[in-house]
Each structure stands twice: as C-alpha cells, then as structure tokens.
Amino acid sequence: MHIMKVRKSLIRILEDSGYDVEIITARDKYFDILIHEEYKIHELHALNSRGQSLFEQFRVYYEYKKLYKEIKPDFIFHYTIKPNIYGTFAATSLKIPSVITINGLGQVYENPLLFKTVSVIFKLACKQSKAVIFQNADDLNLFLSKKLVAKNKTVLVNGSGIDCELFSPVICKNSYSKKNGESLKFALTARLLWTKGLKEYYEAAKKIKKKYPLVTFYIVGYLQEDPKIGVTAGIIKLWQESGIIKFLDAVSDIREILCECDVAVLPSYYREGVPRVLIEGLAMAKPIITTDSVGCKETVIDNWNGFKVPVKNTELLYNALENMILLPEEKFEKFRNNSRKLAIEKFNEKDILKLYLNLANKHCQPSTSVSIV
C-alpha cells in the first residue's frame, strides 16, 4: 500500500504539530503527485520487493544510511518489512530513534524457511527499535510467542485507521434497495494476487450468476504479470468475456467504486495487517464478506455486519454471497449501519494518529525533522 494512500493523515498531523516531515519511498505512479503537492520526498532506488540476494539487502541498507545522513531526521517511522529491518539498522547505526510498524507479514509468512530467516533479523531490528506497532493481535502474539520482541515494546492498533469523514456513505447518491428492483453489486478490491482469494471469488461468482444472473461482480486492482502469482491481463480478459466479472483497473479514488457497489468482498488468505479496503468498506457502510484469516476477521462480526468464511472454501463463499442476496432489506440495512458503527468505534484514525504523534513527542520535539519510510 502506497504512502500516499495510508500515511497522508499521519503526515498532516505531524506537520500541524510543528514537525518537518520528510518522505522516503520508491518511485511509482504517485511519486510525481507527491512532488507536485510539494511534499518533501526522497527516492529510494534500491528497494526491490522481489530482491532477496544478500547483495541486494546490503544495497537497501546502505541507501537508507546514505539518505538518513543527508536528511538528518530526529525520528523515523518505518513501515513494511524491508524498511522495518534495514531502515531500523541504518537508523540505529546513526543513533536516530525509530519505530517499526508491522502491517501484515504477507508472503514472507507463507514460506517457512524464509520466515525463519527473516525472524532472526526481525528480532534484532525489534530490539533496536523504540517501539513495535502491530495492526492485529495475531501478529503481536506470533512475535511474542517466537520471542522476537519484548512485550513492553509492543503497541496494538486497529489497522492503519480510516478518516470517517472523508469515507462516509453520505457522499453516495444511491444505495441498494430491493424496492427499486435492483440487484446486488459485489466488489473485490485488492492487488490481484491469488492469495487474495481471486480464484475462489471467481468460482463462487460463476455459480451465483447461474442462479442470479442480474447480480454483478466487480474486480478492482492492479493486474499481475506472472499467472503463478495472480490475475494477468489474459486471465481477466477470459473472465470478462465469460460475463462473470466486470474488471476495473485501480482507481485514484476508491470511494467512487464503493459508492457503486453494495458489498465489499475479500476472501483473502494472504497474511494481512488489517486490509485497508475492508476498513474503507466499513466506513462507507458496506456489509463485508471476508475470511476468518489474520487481519480480515477483525472487520466482520458474523451475521451482524457481514459474513465470515473459512479460507480457500469456494462452497462456503458461495453460501455467504447467496445469503447476502437473500437478506431481507431491513436486515441488510442493519448490516450497513453496523459496518459504519464498527468503523467509527474501532477503526477511526484519529485515535491511531494520536498514538503515533505521542511516540514522536516522546523521542523528539516539534520543529525537528521526522521521516516516514
């Protein structure tokens, strides 16, 4: 998840509190937008998400160290695995206090050998960090059980949080109503990896369309190049031609999609932090269908604001989709209201941002420099 989408509120609250904020990130389609909006941004060239050779790891570490020497931050927030590890090592070598945020372990956890190796390095990084912030209790408990982090350093937050004023159902012109003879629109929004449950979603949708032909299934996100990893342009073309799926490339404002759809679906078995797309769905008063997997399960109370299904289970996913279609309108509205209530009570970013601000205040003073990596 790019810094522009999930860290903008943190940047804003730090700047409003008097901090000079510097951003370090790899170049992507948002990079020039950040420059245009006059953020202080520095490009990280060596960060390659697939690079696993020892040489590439050293390159990442030394580039962090070089940038930190140039920027001279007084405090650093690190996010995602490589910044958490190599950014922390670089910061420590320069005696700059920093904190780690564990926003999901992703594919690293799926590979036992890789996770064992990364765990050794993570333990050292956690020891050097001033605090380790976890976005779900499962990851926190995993780190504690493996003795990767001291308990007194851990902080638990509910995902990355959401601006409940920016993401609000009041911006939508229409909402689902059986009285108007409309049919449900489901949307899966994600990086289009197989581990996000794309195959299960397609197979369940195919069965639903045979029985309920007017129901619509959207897929929204970035296509993959390798069919072993996820949905490619060729695969999505076949799915669209079958009439099962409507595909939308990743959009700049996900609220447009959420206004058009009725239910947010994510049958993921990727080890998430808490998926932002589901938090966004909650805030926009969308019922949720997701798995009982790490991170995902935090966003749904079964039969209260949606349905929770086991991972990799197409049949039970189909049942959940059909149950949503068959919900009486009054109960569907309760699901919608309950999702919004959960967003406000559990995932409101104001509470989470205060925690990050307090960490900065603890280790440095306003008018000093804070980097977000």
Side-chain angles (χ1 to χ4, degrees):
M1 188 68 68
H2 189 271
I3 200 165
M4 185 179 180
K5 293 188 73 175
V6 298
R7 317 285 179 242
K8 241 183 172 181
S9 296
L10 176 58
I11 295 167
R12 186 167 59 247
I13 195 172
L14 287 169
E15 289 180 336
D16 289 347
S17 300
Y19 287 101
D20 183 20
V21 181
E22 309 268 355
I23 302 166
I24 299 172
T25 186
R27 181 176 287 274
D28 65 4
K29 71 174 192 174
Y30 294 112
F31 196 89
D32 291 333
I33 298 173
L34 288 167
I35 293 173
H36 179 72
E37 294 184 5
E38 299 184 347
Y39 286 97
K40 295 178 181 177
I41 185 165
H42 307 268
E43 183 177 358
L44 189 69
H45 297 276
L47 192 61
N48 175 2
S49 60
R50 295 184 185 179
Q52 295 182 7
S53 73
L54 188 60
F55 172 73
E56 285 170 328
Q57 310 311 308
F58 275 117
R59 276 187 65 205
V60 174
Y61 165 76
Y62 281 114
E63 188 168 7
Y64 278 127
K65 190 167 182 177
K66 181 183 176 185
L67 283 168
Y68 293 168
K69 280 182 177 179
E70 291 174 3
I71 299 167
K72 295 182 173 62
D74 297 284
F75 190 70
I76 304 170
F77 290 106
H78 290 118
Y79 293 85
T80 72
I81 289 177
K82 287 188 179 180
N84 280 337
I85 292 174
Y86 303 112
T88 299
F89 292 161
T92 302
S93 73
L94 298 170
K95 298 182 179 178
I96 304 169
S98 65
V99 299
I100 285 171
T101 295
I102 307 293
N103 49 342
L105 296 174
Q107 293 170 316
V108 169
Y109 186 76
E110 303 300 320
N111 184 327
L113 181 60
L114 179 58
F115 181 69
K116 189 175 181 180
T117 304
V118 169
S119 293
V120 176
I121 310 171
F122 242 135
K123 185 173 183 176
L124 181 57
C126 290
K127 188 175 181 180
Q128 294 180 1
S129 182
K130 295 296 180 184
V132 183
I133 301 170
F134 293 86
Q135 293 194 344
N136 64 65
D138 291 272
D139 285 346
L140 187 154
N141 291 331
L142 175 68
F143 270 59
L144 289 175
S145 68
K146 300 286 184 183
K147 298 181 179 178
L148 304 182
V149 64
K151 190 172 184 179
N152 63 358
K153 277 194 176 183
T154 63
V155 180
L156 180 63
V157 298
N158 292 313
S160 57
I162 192 73
D163 183 338
C164 290
E165 294 175 8
L166 181 66
F167 284 83
S168 170
V170 299
I171 69 170
C172 301
K173 295 177 182 177
N174 303 306
S175 62
Y176 172 73
S177 171
K178 289 187 177 179
K179 292 175 184 175
N180 296 334
E182 297 170 325
S183 295
L184 276 181
K185 300 181 182 72
F186 296 93
L188 186 161
T189 305
R191 282 188 298 150
L192 303 187
L193 307 170
W194 293 124
T195 49
K196 298 285 186 175
L198 268 298
K199 184 183 178 195
E200 290 79 6
Y201 181 70
Y202 172 74
E203 293 296 334
K206 186 162 62 173
K207 286 185 68 177
I208 289 287
K209 290 285 281 185
K210 287 180 181 177
K211 194 170 181 181
Y212 307 95
L214 296 181
V215 171
T216 304
F217 289 93
Y218 289 107
I219 288 179
V220 187
Y222 294 110
L223 293 167
Q224 302 298 306
E225 295 181 0
D226 186 348
K228 293 179 182 177
I229 294 173
V231 177
T232 61
I235 292 169
I236 205 69
K237 185 172 182 289
L238 291 173
W239 286 4
Q240 287 189 97
E241 288 174 350
S242 71
I244 308 299
I245 297 295
K246 289 189 176 181
F247 172 67
L248 298 170
D249 202 351
V251 294
S252 57
D253 190 348
I254 190 62
R255 294 177 302 169
E256 296 174 11
I257 302 299
L258 289 168
C259 281
E260 287 299 316
C261 80
D262 304 301
V263 181
V265 185
L266 188 67
S268 176
Y269 47 97
Y270 185 91
R271 192 168 180 116
E272 311 277 358
V274 177
R276 184 170 176 82
V277 292
L278 293 183
I279 301 175
E280 291 167 342
L282 291 175
M284 299 283 284
K286 303 300 174 183
I288 304 293
I289 295 177
T290 190
T291 57
D292 56 6
S293 182
V294 172
C296 295
K297 63 186 178 183
E298 312 293 333
T299 64
V300 64
I301 299 170
D302 204 36
N303 205 34
W304 183 78
N305 74 312
F307 299 115
K308 197 184 302 183
V309 299
V311 298
K312 302 181 183 180
N313 193 316
T314 303
E315 189 61 34
L316 290 183
L317 177 59
Y318 166 83
N319 290 344
L321 295 167
E322 183 173 47
N323 287 341
M324 195 67 79
I325 293 166
L326 297 176
L327 271 186
E329 186 165 2
E330 183 180 345
K331 190 166 184 180
F332 188 87
E333 281 302 309
K334 284 184 178 179
F335 274 28
R336 295 182 76 245
N337 294 334
N338 289 340
S339 280
R340 177 68 180 172
K341 182 179 179 183
L342 189 61
I344 293 169
E345 293 181 356
K346 185 175 180 179
F347 295 104
N348 196 322
E349 70 174 10
K350 290 179 181 178
D351 301 323
I352 296 169
L353 292 174
K354 284 178 186 175
L355 184 147
Y356 279 90
L357 180 60
N358 289 340
L359 281 170
N361 289 339
K362 184 177 179 180
H363 296 286
C364 59
Q365 296 296 319
S367 79
T368 54
S369 173
V370 174
S371 287
I372 298 177
V373 186

